[in-house]
Amino acid sequence: MGKAETRAHLARADRLQGQTGALATAATAAMEEKLPWFRGLSAQDRSWIGLVAQSGITAFVDWFRDPEEHSSMPTRIFGSAPREFTRVISLHQTVDLVRTTIEMMETAFDDLLPADDVPAVREAMQRYAREVAFAAATVYAQAAEMRGAWDARLEALVVDSVIRGEADDSVRSRASALGWTGAAGTTGSAEVAVVVGRAPAAEGNANVADAVRHAAREAGADALCAIQGDRLVVVLGGTSKPVEIVQRLAHWFGPGPIVVGPVVKDLMAAVTSARAAVAGLRAVPAWPAAPRPVQADELLPERSLSGDGHARRQLATEVYGPLTVGEGVLLDTVSAYLDSGGSIEATARAMFIHANTVRYRLKRVADLTGYQPLNPRDAFTLRVALALGRLLNPEPGNPVL
């Protein structure tokens, strides 16, 4: 560029700079006229957006004056906005702002600049607009990356608090910040259940938390997810049927069993579900034929054998206890049935009663405990429950401790 062309270009830049105030005012007016959502923002947010627009116009003038010296200017125009800027408006809305401002400026050039200046300024504006678009995308990408990393740490902290039994109002607040509603989902339920399984391989767990949350949301439930060492922990909310939800999430877990803790009333009580699920994962190898997923309460005998005191008390209280009422005839009958190898006839002979009486009493056992003595798996649970009940409460007919 010769000296004459340089002087002409600088003069054109001076004339453009003299109109920056008018352009900024016109940009704000265009936003209010063409963007309904802009009018709905608070005065402070509109002020910040106006400041960004003015910064962009000023930056364009500096870049137009000397593109080489100010080559990084398009990427710096968002520096005047606070960090919360990306939370106030979306990337799509930012694109609308840039488009509206550029259209306004291209129209205003005809009124504010000499006719000879307009073609060169418009051409420069087209090049500058592309750089601004890339800059906006970069700002939102960085914000999403930072927010994603922070959310992942916060989510891991919430899940760890649930597992450790330290859930309180602060945990509820943190969960709410992650999108946990704590309200009834599409199933009409607000209950919570904790799910524990093996974590996927390291190369496959980068996006597992996002995938689990998305799949749970599609199924009508809330989900918090964290990888703790070699296990994947998911806290499900808003469903009274967590097993059905987990069946849709199972492929995101690593190979091996998945244990679903019992449903509890809310996040504050989730430690009960978490404790049962963790104990179940530890004990499930003792039942090779366990379904996937398996409920923690289906593993009560294995959990008892592995040292889970809660499972022992649950079997003694909820299974053995009801059988001791009255004269203990149900306890004697199911005990004789199990000792006879599951033969109704042998039980009847040993107790000097009719076989139909045995059948009636075994049905009563199933009604009271939820375990059917004629089912081999349930019979195993009953045998363990009887052994535990006798250990914890050696006097039949007395309340189980």
Side-chain angles (χ1 to χ4, degrees):
M1 184 181 298
K3 291 183 178 180
E5 293 178 345
T6 300
R7 285 194 297 271
H9 178 77
L10 293 177
R12 187 179 296 122
D14 290 338
R15 288 190 290 273
L16 180 61
Q17 186 170 9
Q19 300 298 331
T20 54
L23 289 172
T25 301
T28 302
M31 294 175 196
E32 293 181 349
E33 177 185 354
K34 298 181 180 181
L35 304 176
W37 57 263
F38 179 81
R39 296 191 296 271
L41 297 176
S42 67
Q44 182 180 13
D45 291 336
R46 291 198 305 272
S47 175
W48 278 118
I49 293 174
L51 184 61
V52 171
Q54 184 175 356
S55 174
I57 293 171
T58 302
F60 167 65
V61 175
D62 293 338
W63 178 85
F64 177 79
R65 183 182 301 277
D66 192 342
E68 293 184 2
E69 182 180 352
H70 299 284
S71 59
S72 63
M73 191 63 73
T75 64
R76 294 161 53 190
I77 66 172
F78 295 98
S80 58
R83 182 176 300 178
E84 292 78 10
F85 181 81
T86 55
R87 294 182 181 269
V88 174
I89 63 174
S90 66
L91 176 59
H92 177 74
Q93 291 172 327
T94 302
V95 172
D96 285 344
L97 287 175
V98 173
R99 182 186 297 114
T100 300
T101 302
I102 291 173
E103 290 175 353
M104 177 280 305
M105 292 179 68
E106 289 181 339
T107 301
F109 288 155
D110 291 329
D111 299 329
L112 300 177
L113 297 175
D116 292 343
D117 292 351
V118 173
V121 175
R122 279 184 174 171
E123 181 181 355
M125 172 58 70
Q126 294 298 325
R127 293 167 51 199
Y128 185 78
R130 289 195 296 270
E131 298 298 327
V132 171
F134 285 123
T138 300
V139 167
Y140 278 83
Q142 291 174 345
E145 184 177 359
M146 292 177 60
R147 187 159 57 247
W150 169 250
D151 286 353
R153 290 192 293 270
L154 185 61
E155 187 170 17
L157 179 62
V158 171
V159 173
D160 183 66
S161 297
V162 169
I163 292 291
R164 292 161 59 91
E166 299 175 352
D168 53 19
D169 286 339
S170 65
V171 171
R172 181 182 296 171
S173 176
R174 292 166 181 166
S176 177
L178 293 168
W180 179 276
T181 62
T186 58
T187 60
S189 171
E191 290 95 346
V192 174
V194 177
V195 184
V196 182
R198 298 304 174 193
E203 60 273 13
N205 65 19
N207 300 314
V208 65
D210 291 337
V212 168
R213 283 194 299 272
H214 178 72
R217 193 177 304 112
E218 286 190 336
D222 280 333
L224 297 172
C225 180
I227 294 178
Q228 299 181 335
D230 62 346
R231 71 187 183 192
L232 173 62
V233 181
V234 179
V235 182
L236 289 177
T239 176
S240 60
K241 299 179 179 179
V243 173
E244 296 181 4
I245 304 294
V246 176
Q247 287 172 345
R248 303 174 63 169
L249 308 178
H251 63 283
W252 293 107
F253 286 81
I258 303 173
V259 182
V260 182
V263 174
V264 295
K265 62 179 181 179
D266 56 27
L267 192 63
M268 300 298 98
V271 61
T272 302
S273 182
R275 184 168 50 227
V278 172
L281 187 66
R282 182 174 59 248
V284 71
W287 186 16
R292 185 179 191 266
V294 59
Q295 297 185 69
D297 283 352
E298 296 181 85
L299 293 163
L300 285 175
E302 288 79 11
R303 288 166 53 193
S304 299
L305 294 172
S306 69
D308 183 359
H310 295 280
R312 291 177 178 176
R313 287 188 291 273
Q314 187 172 343
L315 283 176
T317 302
E318 299 178 7
V319 180
Y320 177 81
L323 301 179
T324 64
V325 296
E327 298 179 358
V329 293
L330 295 181
L331 178 63
D332 294 339
T333 302
V334 72
S335 181
Y337 174 77
L338 295 173
D339 291 342
S340 68
S343 170
I344 291 178
E345 289 74 13
T347 303
R349 288 193 299 270
M351 299 188 69
F352 302 102
I353 58 178
H354 195 277
N356 286 342
T357 302
V358 175
R359 292 188 180 92
Y360 171 76
R361 290 179 180 177
L362 294 180
K363 183 177 183 303
R364 287 284 298 146
V365 170
D367 292 341
L368 286 173
T369 67
Y371 293 97
Q372 173 56 260
L374 278 65
N375 178 282
R377 173 67 189 176
D378 288 358
F380 170 65
T381 302
L382 286 166
R383 182 176 291 278
V384 174
L386 264 58
L388 290 170
R390 289 163 180 155
L391 287 171
L392 298 176
N393 183 45
E395 297 295 332
N398 292 333
V400 177
L401 300 179

